[in-house]
């Protein structure tokens, strides 16, 4: 069935370093790839997303890249800050008009940024 | 303010006592869904709804019911809660077209003893 694998499960970096989280999806029909950040005790919040017709998208210190051939997408955070510490989830979905519209989530990556 | 409102935020109940977790959104979204979040298991979909009176099972529907009588509301019902339903629950909504990223509610931490 549909599956999204996310790595690593935990990631610890020094403040100012870069962090990269990688996801692989199984359904080649997936065309929408959001990333969510969940701070401790709070709801997941959308931080960036990318569609399959785009290879890369950037928003200040965060960027997402997509390799459709390899069915990989990655989140890149540059110049990390302690407030970036959170759990990050990737997800994949097909077009809502063609299926249930369900987002398939990865297992999450706990990012710790050490001051 | 555009939001998804869940109530209650915290709930402790006993095995077998029926309960309802409410979810309401003010964004006129067609799509609504319930997820449970457990350590090491990520976010798993319980039920979803594409529109009023249209609901379907997600990945872990056993022990849960939902209804969608109005577009804005999507309550989660546990007819006979059991301890394995102790979890953190999130309601989410999104449009069916355009930017269909989810907006999540604040979450409900349920403990069944």
């Amino acid at each position: 069935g549909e599956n999204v694998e996310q790595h690593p499960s935990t990631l610890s970096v020094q403040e100012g370093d870069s962090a990269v989280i990688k996801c692989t999806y199984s359904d080649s029909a997936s065309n929408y790839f959001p990333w969510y950040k969940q701070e401790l005790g709070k709801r997941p919040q959308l931080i960036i997303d990318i569609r399959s017709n785009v290879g890369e998208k950037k928003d200040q210190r965060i960027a997402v890249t997509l390799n459709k051939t390899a069915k990989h997408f990655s989140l890149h955070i540059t110049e990390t800050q302690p407030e970036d510490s959170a759990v990050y989830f990737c997800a994949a979905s097909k077009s809502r008009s063609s299926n249930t519209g369900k987002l398939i989530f990865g297992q999450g990556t706990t990012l710790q940024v050490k001051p | 303010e555009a939001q998804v409102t869940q109530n209650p935020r915290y709930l402790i109940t006993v095995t077998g006592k029926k309960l309802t977790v409410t979810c309401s959104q003010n964004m006129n979204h067609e799509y609504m869904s319930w997820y449970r979040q457990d350590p090491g298991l990520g976010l798993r979909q319980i039920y979803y709804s594409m529109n009023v009176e249209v609901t379907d099972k997600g990945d872990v529907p056993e022990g849960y019911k939902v209804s969608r009588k109005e577009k804005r509301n999507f309550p989660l019902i546990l007819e006979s809660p059991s301890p394995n339903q102790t979890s953190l629950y999130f309601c989410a909504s999104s449009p069916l077209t355009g930017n269909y990223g989810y907006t999540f509610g604040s979450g409900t931490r349920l403990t069944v003893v």
Side-chain angles (χ1 to χ4, degrees), chain B:
Chain B
E1 179 188 352
Q3 58 185 357
V4 177
T5 303
Q6 269 180 255
N7 281 296
R9 291 290 309 276
Y10 302 92
L11 179 60
I12 301 174
T13 191
V14 296
T15 299
K17 185 177 181 181
K18 181 180 179 179
L19 67 92
T20 299
V21 184
T22 63
C23 175
S24 181
Q25 51 95 4
N26 63 0
M27 295 167 282
N28 202 36
H29 286 167
E30 295 87 358
Y31 186 89
M32 297 186 76
S33 182
W34 278 101
Y35 283 83
R36 62 178 288 174
Q37 185 175 25
D38 303 288
L41 297 176
L43 289 154
R44 295 180 294 167
Q45 191 181 50
I46 303 170
Y47 268 94
Y48 66 93
S49 170
M50 300 283 278
N51 216 323
V52 176
E53 302 291 3
V54 181
T55 64
D56 210 342
K57 297 176 181 178
D59 298 315
V60 288
E62 294 77 22
Y64 305 95
K65 286 175 57 179
V66 293
S67 69
R68 188 92 181 274
K69 294 184 170 61
E70 305 163 285
K71 196 171 188 179
R72 63 184 292 124
N73 296 324
F74 191 46
L76 180 69
I77 303 155
L78 284 72
E79 294 269 2
S80 183
S82 62
N84 64 11
Q85 293 179 297
T86 293
S87 187
L88 178 59
Y89 292 87
F90 287 102
C91 180
S93 76
S94 79
L96 283 179
T97 58
N99 177 10
Y100 38 79
Y102 286 2
T103 299
F104 283 90
S106 300
T108 296
R109 185 165 292 283
L110 172 65
T111 302
V112 184
V113 298

Side-chain angles (χ1 to χ4, degrees), chain A residues 16-98:
Chain A
D17 287 351
S18 295
V20 180
I21 302 170
K22 299 181 179 181
C23 288
T24 303
Y25 59 99
S26 61
D27 191 338
S28 56
S30 296
N31 61 4
Y32 175 66
F33 307 93
W35 285 88
Y36 289 84
K37 175 183 180 182
Q38 186 179 24
E39 297 176 350
L40 192 62
K42 296 191 176 180
R43 76 188 82 187
Q45 292 202 297
L46 180 68
I47 55 172
I48 194 167
D49 56 12
I50 192 168
R51 296 183 187 277
S52 58
N53 58 348
V54 175
E56 183 174 357
K57 184 176 179 181
K58 192 173 182 179
D59 182 3
Q60 299 182 338
R61 294 187 298 107
I62 60 173
V64 58
T65 58
L66 172 65
N67 182 329
K68 285 170 54 180
T69 303
K71 292 190 281 187
H72 288 171
F73 59 113
S74 300
L75 179 71
H76 305 254
I77 306 174
T78 59
E79 300 171 24
T80 54
Q81 301 166 4
E83 51 265 39
D84 294 329
S85 296
V87 178
Y88 291 80
F89 291 96
C90 64
S93 172
K94 293 182 283 192
S95 167
R96 295 292 165 82
S97 62
S98 66

